[in-house]
Amino acid sequence: MATTTKQTTANESGPAVSASSEDALRANFYGLLARVLARPMDEDSLELMRGLAGHDDASPLGEAIATFGKLCQRTPRVKAEEEFTQLFYGVGAGGEISPYASLYLTGLVYDKPLADLRGDMARIGIAPAEDNSEPEDHIASLCEMMHGLLTGALGEQGNGREEARVFFDRHLAPWAGKMFADLERAEAASLYMPVGTIGRLFMEIEREAYEMAA
């Protein structure tokens, strides 16, 4: 469902810059969110998420991760797909949650937030996959791009950390935290309720970290 990105700048002809341990950890969170929000989870994704049940961290974020893993353990793929569909696709008027920045911020698809994102993607050197028809401002696509910037797989070599800060401020900070909070309390959310919690808490952590570093 989400746009898959590809590198179009210098990294195509050279190795990606190694991420620091902190950035690698942050990238892992973005990767997790991108994987579970891009499309309904298949058996491989569900099995991977089931392994989170043993996550040993007493923080609210750690507890949400473990809760998600435990819910995945007892949720069959068909039920997970039904919930995802109800939340994000719906019938008729659509699902409970809009995962697109433009639609979430302005009430319109293909509006200014998407145009601004496409401008930054072109500047950084990120192109959408040719076989994807979804707008690039899908939350999973944005998380995927943050993952690539933090790991050095996307963007100019050596500049991913600063690009990630700018990208977060422009394309995630204005709306993603609220979207995750809405997912957390959505009527249809059972399996995806802790995903909302994980996203909301992680966006808060990211915002505070960038504010402190400014």
Side-chain angles (χ1 to χ4, degrees), residues 96-189:
E96 281 191 70
I97 303 297
S98 169
Y100 307 100
S102 285
L103 190 57
Y104 208 90
L105 290 171
T106 71
L108 299 170
V109 293
Y110 299 103
D111 206 20
K112 189 175 186 300
L114 177 58
D116 291 342
L117 170 64
R118 286 174 170 171
D120 279 347
M121 289 173 64
R123 177 181 58 78
I124 296 170
I126 305 173
E130 296 177 357
D131 60 351
N132 191 82
S133 60
E134 291 284 356
E136 298 90 324
D137 61 345
H138 189 288
I139 184 63
S141 295
L142 296 174
C143 288
E144 183 183 0
M145 286 184 250
M146 282 293 294
H147 177 276
L149 289 171
L150 289 167
T151 59
L154 297 175
E156 295 287 351
Q157 290 192 20
N159 199 35
R161 188 181 181 93
E162 178 59 23
E163 286 287 7
R165 182 191 66 78
V166 174
F167 193 92
F168 177 85
D169 286 345
R170 286 175 58 85
H171 304 298
L172 282 164
W175 73 288
K178 188 174 188 307
M179 190 224 72
F180 281 119
D182 289 343
L183 175 59
E184 189 177 14
R185 57 176 175 260
E187 290 185 9

Side-chain angles (χ1 to χ4, degrees), residues 76-87:
R77 183 192 60 77
V78 172
K79 289 293 185 183
E81 183 174 352
E82 289 175 353
E83 183 176 324
F84 186 96
T85 299
Q86 189 172 358
L87 282 167

